[in-house]
Coordinates of all heavy atoms in Angstrom, one line a residue:
A139 N 5.8 1.7 57.4 CA 5.3 0.7 58.4 C 6.5 -0.3 58.5 O 7.4 -0.4 57.6 CB 4.0 0.0 58.0
Q140 N 6.4 -1.2 59.5 CA 7.4 -2.2 59.6 C 7.3 -3.2 58.5 O 6.3 -3.6 58.0 CB 7.2 -3.0 60.9 CG 8.3 -4.1 61.1 CD 8.1 -4.7 62.5 OE1 7.4 -4.3 63.3 NE2 8.9 -5.8 62.7
E141 N 8.5 -3.5 57.9 CA 8.6 -4.4 56.8 C 8.2 -5.8 57.2 O 8.7 -6.3 58.2 CB 10.0 -4.4 56.2 CG 10.2 -5.2 55.0 CD 11.6 -5.1 54.5 OE1 12.3 -4.1 54.8 OE2 12.0 -6.1 53.8
N142 N 7.5 -6.5 56.4 CA 7.2 -8.0 56.7 C 8.5 -8.7 56.4 O 9.3 -8.4 55.6 CB 6.1 -8.5 55.7 CG 4.8 -7.9 56.1 OD1 4.5 -7.7 57.3 ND2 3.9 -7.7 55.1
P143 N 8.7 -9.8 57.2 CA 9.9 -10.7 57.0 C 9.8 -11.3 55.6 O 8.7 -11.5 55.1 CB 9.8 -11.7 58.1 CG 8.4 -11.7 58.6 CD 7.8 -10.4 58.3
P144 N 11.0 -11.8 55.1 CA 11.0 -12.4 53.8 C 10.1 -13.7 53.9 O 10.1 -14.4 55.0 CB 12.4 -12.8 53.6 CG 13.2 -11.9 54.5 CD 12.3 -11.6 55.6
V145 N 9.3 -14.0 52.9 CA 8.5 -15.2 52.9 C 9.1 -16.2 51.9 O 9.5 -15.8 50.8 CB 7.0 -14.8 52.5 CG1 6.2 -16.0 52.4 CG2 6.5 -13.8 53.5
P146 N 9.2 -17.4 52.2 CA 8.9 -18.0 53.4 C 10.0 -17.8 54.5 O 11.2 -17.6 54.1 CB 8.7 -19.5 53.1 CG 9.6 -19.7 52.0 CD 9.6 -18.4 51.2
V147 N 9.7 -17.8 55.8 CA 10.7 -17.7 56.8 C 11.3 -19.1 56.9 O 10.7 -20.1 57.0 CB 10.0 -17.3 58.2 CG1 11.1 -17.4 59.2 CG2 9.4 -16.0 58.0
Q148 N 12.7 -19.1 56.8 CA 13.3 -20.4 56.8 C 14.3 -20.4 58.1 O 14.9 -19.4 58.4 CB 14.2 -20.6 55.6 CG 13.3 -20.7 54.4 CD 14.2 -21.1 53.2 OE1 15.4 -21.2 53.2 NE2 13.5 -21.2 52.0
V149 N 14.3 -21.5 58.8 CA 15.1 -21.7 59.9 C 15.9 -23.0 59.8 O 15.2 -24.0 59.4 CB 14.2 -21.8 61.3 CG1 15.1 -22.1 62.4 CG2 13.5 -20.5 61.5
E150 N 17.1 -23.0 60.0 CA 18.0 -24.1 59.9 C 18.7 -24.2 61.2 O 19.2 -23.3 61.8 CB 19.0 -24.0 58.8 CG 19.9 -25.2 58.6 CD 20.9 -25.1 57.5 OE1 20.7 -24.3 56.6 OE2 21.9 -25.9 57.6
V151 N 18.8 -25.5 61.8 CA 19.4 -25.7 63.1 C 20.5 -26.8 62.9 O 20.1 -27.8 62.3 CB 18.4 -26.1 64.2 CG1 19.1 -26.4 65.5 CG2 17.3 -25.1 64.3
R152 N 21.7 -26.5 63.3 CA 22.7 -27.5 63.2 C 23.3 -27.8 64.6 O 23.5 -26.8 65.4 CB 23.9 -26.9 62.4 CG 23.5 -26.7 60.9 CD 24.6 -26.1 60.2 NE 24.2 -25.6 58.9 CZ 24.9 -24.8 58.1 NH1 26.1 -24.5 58.5 NH2 24.4 -24.3 57.0
T153 N 23.5 -29.0 64.9 CA 24.2 -29.3 66.1 C 25.7 -29.1 66.1 O 26.4 -29.7 65.2 CB 24.0 -30.9 66.5 OG1 22.5 -31.1 66.6 CG2 24.6 -31.2 67.9
S154 N 26.2 -28.3 67.0 CA 27.7 -28.0 67.0 C 28.5 -28.7 68.0 O 29.6 -28.9 67.9 CB 27.9 -26.5 67.1 OG 27.5 -25.8 65.9
R155 N 27.7 -29.0 69.1 CA 28.5 -29.7 70.2 C 27.4 -30.5 71.0 O 26.3 -30.1 71.2 CB 29.1 -28.7 71.1 CG 29.9 -29.2 72.2 CD 30.7 -28.1 72.9 NE 29.8 -27.4 73.8 CZ 30.2 -26.2 74.4 NH1 31.4 -25.7 74.3 NH2 29.3 -25.6 75.1
N156 N 27.8 -31.6 71.4 CA 26.9 -32.5 72.3 C 26.9 -32.2 73.7 O 27.9 -31.7 74.2 CB 27.2 -34.0 72.1 CG 26.9 -34.4 70.6 OD1 26.0 -34.1 70.0 ND2 27.9 -35.2 70.1
L157 N 25.8 -32.5 74.4 CA 25.7 -32.4 75.9 C 26.6 -33.5 76.5 O 26.4 -34.7 76.1 CB 24.2 -32.5 76.3 CG 23.9 -32.4 77.8 CD1 24.4 -31.1 78.4 CD2 22.4 -32.6 78.0
N158 N 27.5 -33.1 77.4 CA 28.3 -34.1 78.0 C 28.4 -33.8 79.5 O 28.8 -32.7 79.9 CB 29.7 -34.1 77.4 CG 30.6 -35.3 77.8 OD1 30.4 -35.8 78.8 ND2 31.4 -35.7 76.8
F159 N 28.1 -34.8 80.3 CA 28.1 -34.6 81.8 C 29.5 -35.0 82.4 O 29.6 -34.8 83.6 CB 27.0 -35.6 82.4 CG 25.7 -35.1 82.0 CD1 25.0 -35.4 80.9 CD2 25.0 -34.2 82.9 CE1 23.8 -35.0 80.6 CE2 23.8 -33.7 82.6 CZ 23.1 -34.1 81.4
G160 N 30.5 -35.3 81.6 CA 31.8 -35.6 82.2 C 31.8 -37.0 82.9 O 31.0 -37.8 82.7
T161 N 32.8 -37.1 83.8 CA 33.0 -38.3 84.5 C 32.6 -38.1 86.0 O 33.0 -37.1 86.6 CB 34.4 -38.7 84.5 OG1 34.9 -38.8 83.1 CG2 34.7 -40.1 85.1
F162 N 31.8 -39.1 86.5 CA 31.4 -39.0 87.9 C 31.1 -40.4 88.4 O 31.1 -41.3 87.7 CB 30.1 -38.1 88.1 CG 29.0 -38.6 87.3 CD1 28.0 -39.5 87.8 CD2 28.7 -38.2 85.9 CE1 27.0 -39.9 87.0 CE2 27.7 -38.6 85.2 CZ 26.8 -39.5 85.7
T163 N 31.0 -40.5 89.7 CA 30.7 -41.8 90.3 C 29.5 -41.6 91.2 O 29.2 -40.5 91.7 CB 31.8 -42.5 91.0 OG1 31.5 -43.7 91.4 CG2 32.2 -41.6 92.2
A164 N 28.6 -42.7 91.3 CA 27.4 -42.6 92.1 C 27.5 -43.6 93.3 O 27.9 -44.8 93.2 CB 26.3 -42.9 91.3
G165 N 27.2 -43.1 94.5 CA 27.1 -44.0 95.7 C 25.8 -44.7 95.6 O 25.0 -44.8 94.6
S166 N 25.3 -45.3 96.7 CA 24.2 -46.2 96.7 C 22.8 -45.4 96.8 O 21.8 -46.0 96.5 CB 24.2 -47.2 97.9 OG 24.2 -46.4 99.2
A167 N 22.8 -44.1 97.1 CA 21.5 -43.4 97.3 C 21.1 -42.7 96.0 O 20.1 -42.1 96.0 CB 21.7 -42.4 98.4
G168 N 21.9 -42.6 94.9 CA 21.5 -42.0 93.7 C 21.6 -40.4 93.9 O 22.1 -40.0 94.8
G169 N 21.1 -39.8 92.9 CA 21.2 -38.3 92.9 C 21.0 -37.7 91.5 O 20.6 -38.4 90.6
N170 N 21.5 -36.5 91.4 CA 21.4 -35.8 90.1 C 22.7 -35.1 89.7 O 23.5 -34.8 90.6 CB 20.4 -34.6 90.2 CG 19.0 -35.1 90.5 OD1 18.5 -36.0 89.9 ND2 18.3 -34.5 91.4
V171 N 23.0 -35.2 88.4 CA 24.1 -34.5 87.9 C 23.6 -33.5 86.8 O 22.8 -33.8 85.9 CB 25.1 -35.4 87.1 CG1 26.3 -34.7 86.5 CG2 25.6 -36.5 88.0
T172 N 23.9 -32.3 87.0 CA 23.3 -31.1 86.2 C 24.4 -30.4 85.5 O 25.5 -30.1 86.0 CB 22.5 -30.2 87.0 OG1 21.4 -30.8 87.6 CG2 22.0 -29.0 86.1
V173 N 24.3 -30.2 84.1 CA 25.2 -29.3 83.4 C 24.3 -28.1 82.9 O 23.3 -28.4 82.2 CB 25.8 -30.0 82.2 CG1 26.6 -29.1 81.4 CG2 26.8 -31.1 82.7
S174 N 24.7 -26.9 83.3 CA 23.9 -25.7 82.9 C 24.3 -25.4 81.5 O 25.3 -25.8 80.9 CB 24.2 -24.6 83.8 OG 25.5 -24.2 83.8
F175 N 23.6 -24.4 80.9 CA 23.9 -24.0 79.5 C 25.3 -23.3 79.4 O 25.8 -23.2 78.3 CB 22.8 -23.0 79.1 CG 22.8 -21.7 79.7 CD1 23.6 -20.6 79.3 CD2 22.0 -21.4 80.8 CE1 23.7 -19.4 80.0 CE2 22.0 -20.1 81.5 CZ 22.9 -19.2 81.0
D176 N 25.8 -22.9 80.6 CA 27.2 -22.3 80.5 C 28.3 -23.2 81.0 O 29.3 -22.8 81.5 CB 27.2 -21.0 81.3 CG 26.8 -21.1 82.8 OD1 26.4 -22.3 83.2 OD2 26.9 -20.2 83.6
D177 N 28.1 -24.5 80.8 CA 29.1 -25.5 81.0 C 29.4 -25.8 82.5 O 30.5 -26.3 82.8 CB 30.4 -25.3 80.2 CG 30.2 -25.3 78.7 OD1 29.2 -26.0 78.2 OD2 30.9 -24.6 78.0
Q178 N 28.6 -25.3 83.4 CA 28.9 -25.6 84.8 C 28.2 -26.9 85.3 O 27.0 -27.0 85.1 CB 28.3 -24.4 85.6 CG 29.0 -23.0 85.3 CD 30.5 -23.1 85.4 OE1 31.0 -23.4 86.5 NE2 31.3 -22.7 84.4
R179 N 29.0 -27.7 85.9 CA 28.4 -29.0 86.4 C 28.2 -28.9 87.9 O 29.0 -28.3 88.7 CB 29.3 -30.2 86.1 CG 28.8 -31.5 86.7 CD 29.7 -32.6 86.2 NE 31.0 -32.5 86.8 CZ 32.0 -33.5 86.5 NH1 31.7 -34.6 85.8 NH2 33.2 -33.3 87.1
S180 N 27.0 -29.4 88.4 CA 26.7 -29.5 89.8 C 26.2 -30.9 90.0 O 25.6 -31.5 89.2 CB 25.8 -28.4 90.2 OG 24.6 -28.5 89.5
V181 N 26.3 -31.4 91.3 CA 25.8 -32.7 91.7 C 25.1 -32.5 93.0 O 25.4 -31.6 93.7 CB 27.0 -33.7 91.8 CG1 27.7 -34.0 90.4 CG2 28.0 -33.4 92.8
D182 N 24.2 -33.4 93.2 CA 23.6 -33.6 94.5 C 23.2 -35.0 94.8 O 23.4 -35.9 94.0 CB 22.3 -32.6 94.6 CG 21.2 -33.1 93.7 OD1 21.1 -34.3 93.3 OD2 20.3 -32.2 93.4

């Protein structure tokens, strides 16, 4: 049968890089700046 995972299951998470939206400027109407998981920036 399928083997049970090792007990206890341990998960460790380390931050390797911070989320960065780069440099932009905003006009008077506001809007959104989006950075996707693949480092693509878009604005509206």
